[in-house]
Amino acid sequence: MSLVQVLSVASEVFPLVKTGGLADVVGALPAALAAEGVRVRTLVPGYPAVLAGIAVSARHALGPVFGGPATLVTGTAAGLDLLVLDAPHLYARDGGPYAGPDGRDWPDNAFRFAALALVAADIATGGWADWRPDLVHAHDWQAGLLPAYLHYRGAGSPPSVMTVHNLAFAGKFQPELIRLLGLPDAAMQPDGVEFFGALSMLKAGLRFADRITTVSPGYAAEIVTAEFGMGFDGLLRARGAALCGILNGIDTAEWNPATDRYLEAPFSAGLWQARARNKAALQVLLGLAVDAEAPLFCVVSRLSWQKGLDLLLAALPELLAQGAQLAVLGAGENVLEAGFRAQALAHPGRIGCVIGYNEALAHQMQAGADALLVPSRFEPCGLTQLYALRYGAIPVVARVGGLGDTVIDANPMALGAGVATGVQFAAPSTVLLEGAIARAVVLYRDRPVWRRMQINAMASDVSWRGPARSYAGLYRAMLA
Ligand code: ADP
């Protein structure tokens, strides 16, 4: 089996910079691919947190990139082989990867991410003497221009894979930028990067990549429809033969209930007393009544329309009527933050919420809650339900995208066969969410059934092994 060399290009990588599941995937896939004979080097922007977090091995001066000096820094962090684009005029600032401290997108985002794609294209086409990949893998809109740059360079370009982690982020910019970004005017048309009058970096990737993947088979089937396609469904239907879904895995070392450093009491399947200690600790932490019998639901999520948490706010009277508790960890839209804060104030001891981003608490929620609620309107893959499975928190999920692919609903046949791992409901509906919560509580009160589901959930293979094999198979098929 010959070694395949891949240049992976992304705007986030765990543990250095993360706003969502993209970072987890980009951070975890390389180690899993190494076992499949694939060497991945990951190109990321030189944000301050990235430059501070890597062990540098070398620096290579590049020519100026979009009006400022740039250096390619090679190094490692957390076992990752990183190429960092150090371009201070683009990345050396306080704030998030996409927006400033005021929450507004950086005004030069088009150049910040085009630079990433442009340098990737240079590396891919032999512009860096030290190394050249067999294939490039672009993630989401931030890397979307890479397949377009390669397309216009023509011969000598390696094949490209574009992975869509979330079609909702189109990476749209003013069409006038087309030349400044180094693309021909001809690219600014419907059969190019034009998207409803704008320049879309995601469209560039979807149009020009040799293969398109998305992060679950369910989402791959959904995004070719008008309902889920976000305006890209026509293009995706046309490119159907190049599109496939490969489920995400999770980092099973980082997310291991038996060794998790964040937990009150590490545990594994069957050690329910230890798990109960995490529940009590979580109840204390969230200001909930310490009650081993009350079914404790939790949410760990960006608070956004996508996640359907407005439906959960509407379903709270039913959740409380069932005698259940709710713990929420999340940040995002003001109305949702305010909504959960208000509910926590109105129902002390029954509803607790922490607004903010907290990695340790995310682990503690999965270990302490009885069930995780994910009522998403759409969900490309979803990682939190995978963590929940591994930690024996029963996922209660909307049947969309990757949620439908990863959770086995406790319907009568699955219960009869002893294979259920969670509860699914048809999205998006408050009434059906209420029904799912009620169904979960009934299951919870039938202790042998619940334990069986927890054991099944914790035995689910949520590792990267299978997915890595699929990506390696795809790469090899493309190079054959
Ligand atoms: P998305 O990428 O759409 O936000 P995913 O479920 O794929 O959703 O990934 C979300 C990731 O972000 C998970 O690793 C989850 O634990 C984490 N996460 C989301 N919100 C928070 C938060 N408030 N605090 C800590 N981790 C969070």
Side-chain angles (χ1 to χ4, degrees):
M1 193 168 64
S2 65
L3 184 70
V4 176
Q5 306 258 4
V6 174
L7 174 64
S8 172
V9 184
S11 60
E12 304 182 18
V13 61
F14 184 84
L16 299 176
V17 51
K18 165 172 165 176
T19 71
L22 166 66
D24 290 326
V25 174
V26 172
L29 192 50
L33 279 169
E36 300 295 326
V38 177
R39 179 193 185 197
V40 179
R41 304 189 81 177
T42 307
L43 177 71
V44 293
Y47 311 117
V50 170
L51 290 169
I54 60 165
V56 174
S57 54
R59 295 174 201 275
H60 312 265
L62 303 171
V65 177
F66 294 130
T71 307
L72 187 66
V73 180
T74 59
T76 56
L80 292 160
D81 186 347
L82 294 173
L83 307 177
V84 178
L85 176 57
D86 183 13
H89 63 299
L90 300 174
Y91 309 124
R93 7 182 131 158
D94 296 332
Y98 315 119
D102 60 358
R104 295 230 295 273
D105 282 355
W106 296 112
D108 56 348
N109 270 350
F111 296 98
R112 296 174 75 239
F113 297 106
L116 189 70
L118 198 56
V119 168
D122 288 343
I123 295 170
T125 51
W128 182 35
D130 290 16
W131 182 73
R132 186 174 177 165
D134 301 316
L135 185 146
V136 298
H137 192 157
H139 295 272
D140 270 355
W141 72 263
Q142 297 89 344
L145 287 186
L146 171 54
Y149 287 137
L150 293 179
H151 171 83
Y152 287 108
R153 286 183 192 197
S157 292
S160 57
V161 180
M162 176 80 204
T163 292
V164 182
H165 298 263
N166 193 334
L167 209 55
F169 302 110
K172 286 198 284 184
F173 299 96
Q174 305 94 295
E176 297 74 34
L177 294 178
I178 191 86
R179 270 191 214 176
L180 295 176
L181 297 179
L183 287 169
D185 285 340
M188 196 57 213
Q189 49 149 330
D191 188 32
V193 306
E194 190 270 348
F195 183 64
F196 297 100
L199 183 169
S200 161
M201 292 193 181
L202 179 62
K203 172 133 182 219
L206 298 178
R207 166 65 183 81
F208 292 112
D210 295 293
R211 294 294 192 94
I212 303 166
T213 74
T214 189
V215 288
S216 69
Y219 195 56
E222 288 169 349
I223 59 179
V224 298
T225 68
E227 186 185 354
F228 290 96
M230 304 274 174
F232 293 106
D233 46 295
L235 172 58
L236 290 168
R237 280 195 296 279
R239 300 225 53 204
L243 169 68
C244 72
I246 299 175
L247 212 53
N248 284 336
I250 62 169
D251 184 334
T252 49
E254 181 68 22
W255 291 89
N256 180 353
T259 57
D260 192 325
R261 63 193 180 285
Y262 296 122
L263 303 191
E264 171 80 14
F267 65 98
S268 46
L271 300 181
W272 306 126
Q273 287 303 330
R275 197 176 193 288
R277 284 175 52 202
N278 293 301
K279 177 172 177 176
L282 181 61
Q283 286 170 323
V284 171
L285 216 51
L286 271 285
L288 301 168
V290 178
D291 178 350
E293 295 308 311
L296 172 54
F297 289 86
C298 78
V299 169
V300 180
S301 183
R302 288 186 292 120
L303 301 182
S304 79
W305 181 85
Q306 175 195 337
K307 301 293 180 178
L309 294 166
D310 50 318
L311 307 175
L312 177 58
L313 279 170
L316 285 182
E318 173 64 18
L319 183 144
L320 293 172
Q322 293 284 338
Q325 298 179 337
L326 177 69
V328 176
L329 168 62
E333 290 168 16
N334 291 338
V335 261
L336 293 170
E337 290 188 356
F340 283 108
R341 275 207 181 99
Q343 288 296 325
L345 278 175
H347 303 283
R350 304 287 308 280
I351 297 175
C353 94
V354 173
I355 300 299
Y357 191 91
N358 186 328
E359 192 73 28
L361 186 54
H363 288 242
Q364 290 154 0
M365 299 277 253
Q366 301 283 10
D370 296 303
L372 173 84
L373 288 165
V374 195
S376 304
R377 289 188 164 83
F378 66 94
E379 194 60 74
C381 177
L383 295 176
T384 59
Q385 86 281 8
L386 302 180
Y387 304 143
L389 288 168
R390 186 146 166 84
Y391 280 61
I394 296 303
V396 177
V397 304
R399 191 184 304 114
V400 288
L403 297 173
D405 288 337
T406 54
V407 173
I408 302 174
D409 178 60
N411 63 43
M413 297 305 273
L415 286 172
V419 297
T421 61
V423 173
Q424 295 189 354
F425 66 96
S429 154
T430 298
V431 173
L432 296 180
L433 171 58
E434 289 170 349
I437 290 170
R439 195 146 67 86
V441 170
V442 169
L443 292 163
Y444 173 79
R445 300 221 187 274
D446 187 339
R447 205 43 56 97
V449 167
W450 191 258
R451 293 292 187 227
R452 176 78 247 164
M453 287 176 68
Q454 285 182 299
I455 289 165
N456 294 342
M458 295 179 78
S460 301
D461 183 2
V462 291
S463 76
W464 273 106
R465 271 227 312 267
R469 201 161 295 155
S470 299
Y471 279 110
L474 174 71
Y475 296 156
R476 288 208 160 82
M478 291 173 68
L479 294 170

Short mmCIF file of all heavy atoms in Angstrom, two decimals, residues 18-22 24 166 255 300-302 306-307 329-331 356-359 362 379 382-385 387, ligand 1:
data_model
loop_
_atom_site.label_atom_id
_atom_site.label_comp_id
_atom_site.label_asym_id
_atom_site.label_seq_id
_atom_site.Cartn_x
_atom_site.Cartn_y
_atom_site.Cartn_z
N LYS A 18 -11.10 26.56 17.69
CA LYS A 18 -12.33 25.81 17.43
C LYS A 18 -13.56 26.67 17.67
O LYS A 18 -13.66 27.33 18.69
CB LYS A 18 -12.38 24.59 18.38
CG LYS A 18 -13.76 23.93 18.47
CD LYS A 18 -13.72 22.63 19.25
CE LYS A 18 -15.11 22.18 19.65
NZ LYS A 18 -15.14 20.88 20.33
N THR A 19 -14.46 26.70 16.68
CA THR A 19 -15.78 27.28 16.94
C THR A 19 -16.87 26.23 16.78
O THR A 19 -18.01 26.48 17.12
CB THR A 19 -16.11 28.47 16.01
OG1 THR A 19 -16.33 27.97 14.69
CG2 THR A 19 -15.00 29.50 15.98
N GLY A 20 -16.53 25.06 16.23
CA GLY A 20 -17.57 24.05 16.02
C GLY A 20 -16.96 22.73 15.59
O GLY A 20 -15.75 22.50 15.73
N GLY A 21 -17.84 21.87 15.08
CA GLY A 21 -17.44 20.52 14.75
C GLY A 21 -16.33 20.43 13.70
O GLY A 21 -15.55 19.47 13.70
N LEU A 22 -16.27 21.41 12.82
CA LEU A 22 -15.21 21.44 11.80
C LEU A 22 -13.82 21.24 12.42
O LEU A 22 -13.02 20.45 11.93
CB LEU A 22 -15.26 22.79 11.06
CG LEU A 22 -14.07 23.17 10.19
CD1 LEU A 22 -13.94 22.23 9.00
CD2 LEU A 22 -14.20 24.61 9.71
N ASP A 24 -13.02 19.84 15.23
CA ASP A 24 -12.86 18.48 15.75
C ASP A 24 -12.46 17.52 14.64
O ASP A 24 -11.58 16.68 14.80
CB ASP A 24 -14.17 18.00 16.40
CG ASP A 24 -14.48 18.74 17.70
OD1 ASP A 24 -13.54 19.09 18.43
OD2 ASP A 24 -15.67 18.97 17.98
N ASN A 166 -21.05 22.25 6.64
CA ASN A 166 -22.34 22.91 6.84
C ASN A 166 -22.62 23.81 5.65
O ASN A 166 -21.93 24.79 5.42
CB ASN A 166 -22.32 23.75 8.13
CG ASN A 166 -23.72 24.18 8.53
OD1 ASN A 166 -24.60 24.31 7.70
ND2 ASN A 166 -23.91 24.40 9.82
N TRP A 255 -12.44 11.97 24.25
CA TRP A 255 -13.79 11.72 24.78
C TRP A 255 -13.89 10.27 25.24
O TRP A 255 -14.47 9.43 24.55
CB TRP A 255 -14.85 12.05 23.72
CG TRP A 255 -14.95 13.51 23.43
CD1 TRP A 255 -14.23 14.21 22.51
CD2 TRP A 255 -15.79 14.47 24.08
NE1 TRP A 255 -14.59 15.55 22.56
CE2 TRP A 255 -15.54 15.74 23.51
CE3 TRP A 255 -16.76 14.39 25.10
CZ2 TRP A 255 -16.19 16.90 23.90
CZ3 TRP A 255 -17.41 15.55 25.49
CH2 TRP A 255 -17.13 16.79 24.90
N VAL A 300 -25.88 20.75 24.79
CA VAL A 300 -24.55 21.36 24.60
C VAL A 300 -24.53 21.80 23.14
O VAL A 300 -24.46 20.97 22.24
CB VAL A 300 -23.41 20.35 24.84
CG1 VAL A 300 -22.06 21.02 24.63
CG2 VAL A 300 -23.51 19.73 26.22
N SER A 301 -24.60 23.12 22.92
CA SER A 301 -24.85 23.52 21.54
C SER A 301 -24.57 24.99 21.29
O SER A 301 -24.68 25.81 22.19
CB SER A 301 -26.34 23.26 21.24
OG SER A 301 -26.64 23.55 19.89
N ARG A 302 -24.25 25.30 20.04
CA ARG A 302 -24.39 26.67 19.61
C ARG A 302 -25.87 26.99 19.71
O ARG A 302 -26.73 26.14 19.39
CB ARG A 302 -23.96 26.82 18.14
CG ARG A 302 -22.48 26.72 17.90
CD ARG A 302 -22.10 27.02 16.45
NE ARG A 302 -22.58 25.99 15.54
CZ ARG A 302 -23.43 26.19 14.54
NH1 ARG A 302 -23.91 27.40 14.30
NH2 ARG A 302 -23.81 25.21 13.75
N GLN A 306 -30.55 26.92 13.56
CA GLN A 306 -30.30 25.57 13.04
C GLN A 306 -30.58 24.50 14.08
O GLN A 306 -31.09 23.42 13.79
CB GLN A 306 -28.83 25.43 12.59
CG GLN A 306 -28.45 24.02 12.17
CD GLN A 306 -26.95 23.78 12.08
OE1 GLN A 306 -26.16 24.70 11.92
NE2 GLN A 306 -26.54 22.53 12.18
N LYS A 307 -30.23 24.80 15.32
CA LYS A 307 -30.26 23.77 16.36
C LYS A 307 -31.66 23.53 16.93
O LYS A 307 -31.83 22.66 17.79
CB LYS A 307 -29.27 24.12 17.46
CG LYS A 307 -27.82 24.26 16.96
CD LYS A 307 -27.25 22.93 16.48
CE LYS A 307 -25.81 23.07 16.00
NZ LYS A 307 -25.23 21.79 15.58
N LEU A 329 -25.86 24.19 28.19
CA LEU A 329 -24.58 24.87 27.97
C LEU A 329 -24.56 25.34 26.53
O LEU A 329 -24.66 24.52 25.61
CB LEU A 329 -23.40 23.92 28.21
CG LEU A 329 -22.03 24.45 27.74
CD1 LEU A 329 -21.62 25.71 28.48
CD2 LEU A 329 -20.96 23.36 27.89
N GLY A 330 -24.47 26.64 26.33
CA GLY A 330 -24.46 27.12 24.96
C GLY A 330 -24.24 28.61 24.87
O GLY A 330 -24.31 29.32 25.87
N ALA A 331 -23.96 29.05 23.67
CA ALA A 331 -23.81 30.48 23.41
C ALA A 331 -24.23 30.73 21.99
O ALA A 331 -24.14 29.84 21.14
CB ALA A 331 -22.36 30.91 23.62
N GLY A 356 -22.09 30.42 27.48
CA GLY A 356 -20.66 30.59 27.24
C GLY A 356 -20.12 29.33 26.62
O GLY A 356 -20.86 28.39 26.34
N TYR A 357 -18.83 29.35 26.37
CA TYR A 357 -18.17 28.19 25.78
C TYR A 357 -17.28 27.58 26.84
O TYR A 357 -16.44 28.26 27.43
CB TYR A 357 -17.35 28.61 24.55
CG TYR A 357 -16.87 27.42 23.77
CD1 TYR A 357 -17.62 26.91 22.74
CD2 TYR A 357 -15.69 26.77 24.12
CE1 TYR A 357 -17.21 25.79 22.05
CE2 TYR A 357 -15.26 25.65 23.43
CZ TYR A 357 -16.03 25.17 22.40
OH TYR A 357 -15.61 24.06 21.73
N ASN A 358 -17.48 26.30 27.15
CA ASN A 358 -16.75 25.69 28.26
C ASN A 358 -16.50 24.22 27.95
O ASN A 358 -17.41 23.38 28.05
CB ASN A 358 -17.59 25.86 29.54
CG ASN A 358 -16.85 25.39 30.77
OD1 ASN A 358 -16.03 24.47 30.71
ND2 ASN A 358 -17.14 26.03 31.90
N GLU A 359 -15.27 23.91 27.54
CA GLU A 359 -14.92 22.55 27.10
C GLU A 359 -15.09 21.55 28.26
O GLU A 359 -15.65 20.47 28.08
CB GLU A 359 -13.48 22.55 26.57
CG GLU A 359 -13.06 21.29 25.84
CD GLU A 359 -13.66 21.14 24.44
OE1 GLU A 359 -13.97 22.16 23.77
OE2 GLU A 359 -13.82 19.99 24.01
N ALA A 362 -18.68 20.83 28.92
CA ALA A 362 -19.26 20.01 27.84
C ALA A 362 -19.06 18.53 28.17
O ALA A 362 -19.97 17.71 27.99
CB ALA A 362 -18.63 20.37 26.50
N GLU A 379 -28.87 18.98 10.40
CA GLU A 379 -27.64 18.66 11.13
C GLU A 379 -26.74 17.84 10.21
O GLU A 379 -26.99 16.65 9.99
CB GLU A 379 -27.98 17.87 12.39
CG GLU A 379 -26.84 17.77 13.38
CD GLU A 379 -26.38 19.14 13.87
OE1 GLU A 379 -27.08 19.77 14.68
OE2 GLU A 379 -25.31 19.57 13.41
N GLY A 382 -23.34 16.30 13.22
CA GLY A 382 -23.57 16.40 14.66
C GLY A 382 -22.52 15.58 15.38
O GLY A 382 -22.25 14.43 15.02
N LEU A 383 -21.87 16.19 16.34
CA LEU A 383 -20.88 15.47 17.13
C LEU A 383 -21.40 15.21 18.54
O LEU A 383 -21.06 14.20 19.15
CB LEU A 383 -19.57 16.27 17.21
CG LEU A 383 -18.84 16.47 15.88
CD1 LEU A 383 -17.62 17.36 16.07
CD2 LEU A 383 -18.43 15.13 15.29
N THR A 384 -22.23 16.12 19.02
CA THR A 384 -22.61 15.99 20.44
C THR A 384 -23.37 14.68 20.70
O THR A 384 -23.21 14.09 21.77
CB THR A 384 -23.45 17.19 20.92
OG1 THR A 384 -24.62 17.29 20.12
CG2 THR A 384 -22.66 18.47 20.84
N GLN A 385 -24.15 14.22 19.71
CA GLN A 385 -24.86 12.95 19.95
C GLN A 385 -23.88 11.78 19.97
O GLN A 385 -24.16 10.75 20.60
CB GLN A 385 -26.00 12.76 18.94
CG GLN A 385 -25.62 12.14 17.60
CD GLN A 385 -24.96 13.13 16.66
OE1 GLN A 385 -24.65 14.26 17.02
NE2 GLN A 385 -24.76 12.72 15.41
N TYR A 387 -20.73 12.01 21.19
CA TYR A 387 -20.16 12.05 22.54
C TYR A 387 -21.16 11.45 23.53
O TYR A 387 -20.79 10.71 24.44
CB TYR A 387 -19.84 13.49 22.98
CG TYR A 387 -18.92 14.26 22.08
CD1 TYR A 387 -19.12 15.62 21.86
CD2 TYR A 387 -17.84 13.65 21.46
CE1 TYR A 387 -18.28 16.35 21.04
CE2 TYR A 387 -16.99 14.38 20.63
CZ TYR A 387 -17.22 15.73 20.42
OH TYR A 387 -16.38 16.44 19.61
P1 ADP B 1 -21.77 22.46 15.09
O1 ADP B 1 -20.46 22.18 14.43
O2 ADP B 1 -22.92 22.70 14.15
O3 ADP B 1 -21.70 23.53 16.13
P2 ADP B 1 -21.48 19.77 16.18
O4 ADP B 1 -22.37 18.95 17.04
O5 ADP B 1 -21.00 19.14 14.93
O6 ADP B 1 -22.24 21.14 15.89
O7 ADP B 1 -20.19 20.21 17.00
C1 ADP B 1 -20.29 21.05 18.09
C2 ADP B 1 -19.00 20.96 18.88
O8 ADP B 1 -18.86 22.13 19.68
C3 ADP B 1 -18.98 19.81 19.85
O9 ADP B 1 -17.63 19.43 20.05
C4 ADP B 1 -19.56 20.42 21.13
O10 ADP B 1 -19.18 19.74 22.29
C5 ADP B 1 -18.96 21.79 21.07
N1 ADP B 1 -19.74 22.84 21.72
C6 ADP B 1 -20.83 23.49 21.25
N2 ADP B 1 -21.23 24.45 22.10
C7 ADP B 1 -20.38 24.40 23.15
C8 ADP B 1 -20.24 25.15 24.37
N3 ADP B 1 -21.09 26.13 24.66
N4 ADP B 1 -19.24 24.84 25.21
C9 ADP B 1 -18.39 23.82 24.91
N5 ADP B 1 -18.45 23.10 23.77
C10 ADP B 1 -19.43 23.37 22.91
#
